[in-house]
Amino acid sequence: MDYFVLSIMLIAIYLILAVADYYSTLTVLASGKGREANPLMAPLLEMGDAALIAQLVSGAAFAVLAALSPRDSLAGLVVVVLLKALVVLNNVINGYLVWSG
């Protein structure tokens, strides 16, 4: 099994989800009915694109880990991607609720 290729695919998925997380969070915040629940990201969102840059830097950090040890980092990457997908799903549901009602 080529762990490096799997790792690259997971990192690509993570980066797509990171951008979706950023923009879906902005959508909910723009409604005035939501707030950022992550205490690490809340101050970054107030600084403009700093939150998006932080998301992309975290993806770059995962890429470095995967390049250094693709096999060992694979399980962690799967968990991180699944968690990021849940965050985006939560944002999309909240976005739907605040904009439809």
Side-chain angles (χ1 to χ4, degrees):
M1 179 181 297
D2 191 350
Y3 291 100
F4 183 74
V5 172
L6 287 173
S7 295
I8 295 301
M9 289 171 40
L10 286 169
I11 291 165
I13 293 167
Y14 176 84
L15 290 171
I16 291 166
L17 289 170
V19 172
D21 179 16
Y22 175 73
Y23 285 108
S24 60
T25 297
L26 289 181
T27 299
V28 172
L29 294 176
S31 73
K33 297 178 183 176
R35 67 175 183 83
E36 174 59 57
N38 182 341
L40 299 175
M41 292 303 286
L44 294 177
L45 283 167
E46 295 173 7
M47 293 190 278
D49 291 337
L52 179 59
I53 292 168
Q55 296 270 10
L56 299 176
V57 167
S58 66
F62 293 135
V64 169
L65 291 174
L68 294 174
S69 183
R71 184 176 183 171
D72 294 335
S73 64
L74 188 63
L77 285 170
V78 168
V79 170
V80 167
V81 167
L82 289 174
L83 290 173
K84 182 59 85 176
L86 288 173
V87 167
V88 172
L89 178 62
N90 178 65
N91 288 351
V92 169
I93 291 169
N94 286 329
Y96 173 77
L97 292 175
V98 299
W99 286 105
S100 68

